[in-house]
Amino acid sequence: MALKIFKKFYSAFLFLQFLLAESRNKLLLKKQETQLIVGRLKAGMIFLGVGHKNGIFWLLHILKNKNVQVYAFDFPKKENSDFSNFFKKNSIGQVDVMRVDVNGREMELFMNAQKLFSSGFSPVIFYSSFENNTKRFNYHPVEIMWFLQDFGYKFFILDGKTGKIIPRPPYQYEGIMIAAKEQIL
């Protein structure tokens, strides 16, 4: 009896250890992503954060202190947002770096932003992609890649140990993805 109780406690302990390690890893990746975005942006460049402002607030706050034009497009959960009207209203002609966090609605957003991706000044895109989120909208995360590849994008990820950008392994389509038309290694 005591052995069964010990095994249950030990299993729970191991599970909590795993959750803590996962949490630390996500926090480290978020920090590395922030450093990469902040380091990539130079004075006069344009950054666009897309998603609920609470999800990208940390990045918007840091970038306001740089000499960078910062825009936030709050992509509401239920309404269909018109991306082109946002660009017209704010007189945005190009975007240099874009961070997208729309909880599964990435495909909808990217389809609304086709003009941006086909322009000569296509942004480097950082986006989060998880099958648990996209299946609610009836598509798979790999479909985002297929869509953006049609515009000439290549895909990269952050190495969790070094924080460096590396080519995306063929089997990886979830996590923080980096899409760029030029080689950014």
Side-chain angles (χ1 to χ4, degrees), residues 51-103:
H52 192 274
K53 287 183 183 176
N54 292 338
I56 56 173
F57 176 78
W58 52 273
L59 191 53
L60 298 175
H61 180 70
I62 292 169
L63 290 174
K64 290 211 184 232
N65 297 327
K66 288 190 79 154
N67 192 11
V68 174
Q69 293 180 46
V70 176
Y71 296 93
F73 182 63
D74 195 359
F75 201 70
K77 286 188 177 182
K78 295 192 175 146
E79 302 99 49
N80 185 9
S81 297
D82 190 354
F83 205 59
S84 57
N85 279 342
F86 174 79
F87 275 82
K88 287 177 193 172
K89 186 175 101 178
N90 291 289
S91 301
I92 301 172
Q94 76 177 55
V95 173
D96 296 297
V97 176
M98 185 174 174
R99 175 58 170 108
V100 176
D101 191 358
V102 292
N103 299 319

Side-chain angles (χ1 to χ4, degrees), residues 5-16:
I5 292 171
F6 175 75
K7 284 182 179 180
K8 285 185 180 186
F9 277 117
Y10 187 66
S11 293
F13 171 75
L14 290 177
F15 181 69
L16 289 174

Side-chain angles (χ1 to χ4, degrees), residues 30-168:
K30 184 78 99 177
K31 182 179 176 184
Q32 290 169 340
E33 177 192 26
T34 301
Q35 290 172 340
L36 185 63
I37 291 172
V38 170
R40 182 160 183 82
L41 288 166
K42 309 292 181 237
M45 293 179 96
I46 298 172
F47 171 81
L48 175 63
V50 182
H52 192 274
K53 287 183 183 176
N54 292 338
I56 56 173
F57 176 78
W58 52 273
L59 191 53
L60 298 175
H61 180 70
I62 292 169
L63 290 174
K64 290 211 184 232
N65 297 327
K66 288 190 79 154
N67 192 11
V68 174
Q69 293 180 46
V70 176
Y71 296 93
F73 182 63
D74 195 359
F75 201 70
K77 286 188 177 182
K78 295 192 175 146
E79 302 99 49
N80 185 9
S81 297
D82 190 354
F83 205 59
S84 57
N85 279 342
F86 174 79
F87 275 82
K88 287 177 193 172
K89 186 175 101 178
N90 291 289
S91 301
I92 301 172
Q94 76 177 55
V95 173
D96 296 297
V97 176
M98 185 174 174
R99 175 58 170 108
V100 176
D101 191 358
V102 292
N103 299 319
R105 291 182 64 203
E106 288 81 12
M107 185 61 95
E108 179 185 347
L109 173 83
F110 291 149
M111 290 177 84
N112 283 328
Q114 287 185 52
K115 282 185 183 177
L116 179 64
F117 305 139
S118 60
S119 73
F121 300 104
S122 298
V124 173
I125 306 166
F126 291 79
Y127 70 95
S128 299
S129 180
F130 296 97
E131 189 174 358
N132 284 341
N133 290 338
T134 61
K135 71 181 172 185
R136 293 182 300 161
F137 299 97
N138 299 319
Y139 74 97
H140 190 275
V142 77
E143 293 178 61
I144 297 170
M145 294 176 163
W146 296 339
F147 179 78
L148 291 174
Q149 282 173 336
D150 287 344
F151 294 99
Y153 277 92
K154 295 171 181 63
F155 297 90
F156 306 89
I157 60 168
L158 283 175
D159 182 320
K161 293 179 182 142
T162 65
K164 294 185 180 194
I165 298 173
I166 59 173
R168 176 191 68 87

